[in-house]
Amino acid sequence: MDKIISGPLVRRVSKTDAYIWLVVAGAFQTDQFTGVAKTASHQVSSSASLESISLSPELHVVMLKLSTDEESWPTSEAIFYDLSYQGASIFERSAFSENGNQFFDGPLPIYDAFEYPFFKYETNHKKIMSGSCRKPHGAEAPKGNQDALVAFDKRFASSMNIEKLPSLLFLTGDQIYADDVETTLAAFISKRSKAFFPNEVFHPSSGNASLNDIVHSSRDQILTEGEGFYSTEKSHHLMGFREYFTMYMAVWGGLNVDLERPSMPDKIRGNANSRTLSKYLRAKKKALANIRLHEKTKCFFENTWRVRRLLSHVSTYMMFDDHEVTDDWNLTAAITESLGAEGSMGQRLVTNALAAFNLCQGWGNDPVSIQRNIYDSVKPYVDRLGEYDSVLTHKVFSALNRSYTFVTPTVPAAIVLDIRTQRTFRDNNPSCPLLVDDAELENIKTQLTKAAHDGIEQLILVSPAPVYGFTTVEKAQLAASNTFGMSTSADAESWISDEQQMNALIERVMCFPDLKDCYIFSGDVHYGFSRKETTQHPTKGHDVNLWQFTSSSISNVPTGMMSPGLKLLHSTTIFVRHNTPFFKVRSPYLLPNRKEGTFLTGHINLGVLELNDERSKTYTLLRPRPNGSWKDWVYDLTKPRLLD
C-alpha cells in the first residue's frame, strides 16, 4: 500500500457496528489491513471485517466494518479507532507530521490533543449537523475561510471539547460540482484521472471515443442541449468515470491538488490600433477573472485536509442533488428522456456519475444494500471502461438509476430522500417535476417502517430541496417556468409545484402515531433560513411541528443577479408583511434570537440541531465570517419567534 488518497471517513454507525471508508493507492493486500477501537479506558472492538473493490491493480476502495465486543458501543464518549496495515498503524506520527507519514500526504487526520481519530455513538443524538452545496470556487477566501466545513474544523480544533463535536452530519446535496469546474482544476482532474485510468472510452458520438483525446475545455461543444445538458457553465464539465471519481478524491481531501496559475496575455509592444487594443483588453479582463477563480480554487484545496480530518471523526450520511451528475438533472420530462435514452451520450455520462456516487457516497449510507450495486454493476462496468458497450452501459444505468432513499440506525430516526432518480411528470405539465413518483412514495412508507418502534416522537427528514421553501422565490420560479417556459433558467423544482404529492409525502411521515416533531434538513438553494409549520396528526389529532431547516451553502454563495434579487425579495417579504393589513395569518419564517426583521442569510453556513431535552431544543445556523470570526443565528425551538 503506497498511500491513502481519500479518507478515512466515518460513515454509518449503528449500535454495534461502525463503517470506515477510504481509498488506497498502490498494491493492496486485504488480509493485511485491520482495525481496532477503544475508549480512553479500555478496548471495545478487537474484530474488523473488510470489503474492497479494486478499480485497478493500483487503486482500491475499501469499506472497513468495526464491530464492538460488547452489547453496544459506549455512549457519549470518544471511541478511538486505529487502522493497521501489515502490522503498522496508519496513524503513527512521524518526526515530520505536518508532511504526513508513509501512508498520508499532508497532515494526519487526527486532532492534536489525541493519538487516534475517533467517532461518537449516541443512543439519542443530541447534536446533529447538516450542510450542502460545496463548490471549490464558490465563495471568496481572503483568509482561507470560504468553506464552512473547514471553518468548523478550525472551530473544533481550538477547543478539543468532544461535546462540541456533532455525532451526526448530513450532507444534503451537491457534494461535488461536475458541471461547473474551474479551468485549472479541470486541467488537474483531466491529468490526474488519466493516471488512474489510462484508457477510458467515453462515447463514439463525442467525436473522439477515447477520453484521452477529449480536451478538458470547450466541452460545451460536445454536451449540447440536444443531448440533455443545460448547464450554463459546462465548458469544463466532467465526462468520464475517472473524472467523477477523481473529483471526489480531491474534494474529500487526500490528493495533492497542484493547480497551475493561469497566464496573462502578452503585453502589447509599440503602437497598436484600436482593434488590437480592444482585443488585448478583453483578453486581459478574461485572464484576470480566471485568476480570481483560480485563487479561490487554490485556497479551497489548500484546506481540504481539514475536511478530511473532520469527516474522519463524525458519522456522515450523504445524498446527491443535481450537480453530482449535471445541472438540471431530470428537471424536465425532455431532459429526463435525453439523459436516459439507450445508447445516448447522456446515458453514458449519467452512468459514470452514478457509478462514482455509489462508490464515494452511497456505499457508506447503507453498506449492505449498496454493496450489491458495487459488485454486480459498478465493478463490471469499471473493468470495461476501455471500450464503449451500449448494452452494458444501458444495463448498468438501469441498475444504478434506482431509488437511494434510506433510513439511518439512529435516534431520532432519519429518512434521507432521493428526489432525483424517481421523478415523474403530469401529462399537462412536462416542464415541472413531481420530485417523487407514487411508487417512491410507497417506498418511503416502507423505509419508514424500518425505523418504527413504540413511542417515536421525533423524526428527521432529509430532502435535498426544501419541503417548505422561501415561498416568494419558489412561486416566482414556478411562474417563470409555467408562464414563460423558463424551466432550466428558473430551476423550477420544488415540492410546492405539486401540492398533492407534497401532501402525500407529509401523510407518509405521519405514520408514527406519537409523532410530535419532524425536523426537515435541506439545502440546494444557496441561502439559509428556517420556518415552522404545524399540522394535525391524521389519527391522533394532536399538533405535529414540521421544522424546516435549510442550510445552504457550505461554499457557494449567491452571485450575479441572484444576490441582489434575493435581498430584494427578502426585503419585500418583510415590508409587505409588516405594512399590509391583509396578512392575518402569522408568517412561517423563524427569526433568530436577538434578530429583528431578518430571516434569510446568503453567507456560507452549516446547520446544527441540538436536542438536549424537552426544555432545551435549539437550531443554529453557524455562519463563519471571512476574517475567521463567527456570527451565528440561534433559534430557540421551545420558544420560536415567527416573523410577524
Side-chain angles (χ1 to χ4, degrees), residues 122-140:
E122 301 282 1
T123 51
N124 288 280
H125 288 275
K126 299 179 178 65
K127 199 177 188 76
I128 305 160
M129 190 159 69
S130 69
S132 69
C133 306
R134 187 165 170 257
K135 186 165 72 171
H137 58 287
E140 296 292 348

Side-chain angles (χ1 to χ4, degrees), residues 28-334:
F28 181 64
Q29 297 173 271
T30 57
D31 61 347
Q32 296 295 306
F33 194 75
T34 188
V36 296
K38 60 184 178 180
T39 65
S41 60
H42 67 290
Q43 184 166 303
V44 294
S45 173
S46 57
S47 64
S49 58
L50 179 146
E51 295 290 339
S52 173
I53 176 173
S54 296
L55 303 180
S56 75
E58 301 294 318
L59 192 64
H60 318 271
V61 184
V62 178
M63 186 70 74
L64 185 81
K65 180 174 78 170
L66 295 171
S67 299
T68 180
D69 300 331
E70 304 171 359
E71 291 186 1
S72 170
W73 294 115
T75 61
S76 303
E77 62 178 305
I79 302 170
F80 299 94
Y81 61 93
D82 184 18
L83 309 181
S84 299
Y85 187 69
Q86 295 181 338
S89 170
I90 68 171
F91 302 119
E92 182 179 353
R93 296 181 188 269
S94 67
F96 303 96
S97 60
E98 69 273 13
N99 297 320
N101 61 15
Q102 69 181 95
F103 299 110
F104 293 94
D105 283 328
L108 301 184
I110 308 170
Y111 290 101
D112 291 343
F114 307 103
E115 187 176 359
Y116 300 103
F118 62 85
F119 61 88
K120 294 194 296 183
Y121 171 72
E122 301 282 1
T123 51
N124 288 280
H125 288 275
K126 299 179 178 65
K127 199 177 188 76
I128 305 160
M129 190 159 69
S130 69
S132 69
C133 306
R134 187 165 170 257
K135 186 165 72 171
H137 58 287
E140 296 292 348
K143 293 189 179 181
N145 295 305
Q146 93 264 39
D147 184 332
L149 288 177
V150 168
F152 187 82
D153 171 84
K154 294 178 182 178
R155 181 166 169 156
F156 174 71
S158 68
S159 71
M160 299 293 184
N161 182 348
I162 66 168
E163 292 184 1
K164 295 184 180 295
L165 192 68
S167 52
L168 280 178
L169 168 61
F170 291 98
L171 297 177
T172 62
D174 298 340
Q175 278 67 261
I176 66 169
Y177 277 72
D179 59 292
D180 186 356
V181 184
E182 186 270 333
T183 304
T184 60
L185 176 59
F188 168 82
I189 294 290
S190 178
K191 181 179 179 180
R192 190 68 179 86
S193 67
K194 184 179 178 180
F196 288 145
F197 302 97
N199 299 306
E200 182 174 352
V201 166
F202 181 59
H203 189 275
S205 65
S206 63
N208 295 288
S210 172
L211 203 58
N212 296 343
D213 298 326
I214 302 175
V215 296
H216 65 268
S217 59
S218 303
R219 291 185 171 185
D220 52 329
Q221 304 301 311
I222 300 172
L223 304 177
T224 64
E225 291 185 1
E227 296 285 350
F229 298 97
Y230 283 80
S231 173
T232 58
E233 303 289 342
K234 60 187 176 183
S235 59
H236 300 96
H237 202 305
L238 305 183
M239 293 170 67
F241 166 82
R242 72 189 192 190
E243 295 173 343
Y244 280 90
F245 183 79
T246 303
M247 180 66 88
Y248 279 111
M249 300 305 96
V251 300
W252 291 149
L255 281 184
N256 180 18
V257 179
D258 185 19
L259 305 179
E260 184 176 343
R261 182 181 173 87
S263 60
M264 291 290 290
D266 293 335
K267 291 183 178 180
I268 299 175
R269 298 185 182 277
N271 295 326
N273 58 40
S274 59
R275 185 173 182 180
T276 302
L277 181 61
S278 177
K279 183 178 179 181
Y280 166 76
L281 291 175
R282 287 196 302 271
K284 181 180 178 181
K285 182 179 180 180
K286 182 178 180 181
L288 289 172
N290 287 339
I291 289 172
R292 184 182 178 196
L293 293 177
H294 163 80
E295 291 297 330
K296 290 182 181 181
T297 308
K298 180 173 177 287
C299 183
F300 178 94
F301 284 105
E302 286 173 349
N303 288 280
T304 52
W305 66 271
R306 290 186 175 276
V307 176
R308 178 190 221 179
R309 182 170 68 174
L310 178 64
L311 298 187
S312 70
H313 291 78
V314 182
S315 176
T316 303
Y317 298 90
M318 314 174 186
M319 181 53 70
F320 51 50
D321 201 14
D322 57 342
H323 289 287
E324 277 93 346
V325 178
T326 186
D327 192 19
D328 298 332
W329 177 32
N330 295 347
L331 175 63
T332 69

Side-chain angles (χ1 to χ4, degrees), residues 434-489:
L434 281 68
L435 301 190
V436 294
D437 60 19
D438 290 342
E440 181 62 7
L441 283 171
E442 290 309 302
N443 179 47
I444 291 169
K445 182 178 180 180
T446 301
Q447 293 289 331
L448 285 170
T449 62
K450 296 179 181 180
H453 60 78
D454 293 340
I456 287 185
E457 296 184 353
Q458 299 179 106
L459 176 71
I460 294 171
L461 173 69
V462 178
S463 170
V467 176
Y468 299 102
F470 181 18
T471 306
T472 307
V473 169
E474 290 186 333
K475 287 187 175 181
Q477 290 171 319
L478 290 172
S481 175
N482 296 333
T483 306
F484 303 106
M486 300 168 60
S487 301
T488 55
S489 57

